[in-house]
Amino acid sequence: MSSITSDTLGHGTGVSGVIAAQTSNGIGVAGVSGVMDVSVLPIKVFWETNTCNSSDVICALDYAISCDADVINLSLGSTDSSQLEEEAIQR
């Protein structure tokens, strides 16, 4: 995982906002979570070059699982598949 925790690309902040935004308050967008009380556990795996290793993704998944995350959102894309990533997702 990256040692730089700021969202240099902005994507994670935007996605987190869409997930956790309040509804029916007349401000901005209505969040996916609706009126549910949610917490966001931000975990950064992408480097400033907008790339990462499968091992970073697996480490992040294992960390989220160890924190008892109910929902894990990943914004990933690749032309390669990873059996190790798939196994981590299935945990």
Side-chain angles (χ1 to χ4, degrees), residues 2 15 54 71:
S2 176
V15 171
S54 289
V71 176

Side-chain angles (χ1 to χ4, degrees), residues 2 8 13 15 17 21 31 43 48-49 57 69 77 82-83 90-91:
S2 176
T8 54
T13 300
V15 171
I43 303 170
E48 291 67 38
T49 57
V57 174
S82 167
Q83 183 61 37
Q90 296 305 319
R91 289 197 261 276

Side-chain angles (χ1 to χ4, degrees), residues 56-67 72 87-89 91:
D56 297 325
V57 174
I58 293 166
C59 183
L61 285 166
D62 287 340
Y63 179 72
I65 291 166
S66 75
C67 292
I72 300 173
E87 290 171 8
I89 291 168
R91 289 197 261 276

Side-chain angles (χ1 to χ4, degrees), residues 8-59:
T8 54
L9 301 172
H11 180 76
T13 300
V15 171
S16 295
V18 169
I19 292 170
Q22 294 181 352
T23 58
S24 302
N25 64 358
I27 302 172
V29 300
V32 173
S33 62
V35 296
M36 301 296 294
D37 184 26
V38 300
S39 297
V40 174
L41 174 66
I43 303 170
K44 181 176 181 175
V45 296
F46 279 85
W47 307 319
E48 291 67 38
T49 57
N50 201 23
T51 59
C52 68
N53 290 328
S54 289
S55 60
D56 297 325
V57 174
I58 293 166
C59 183

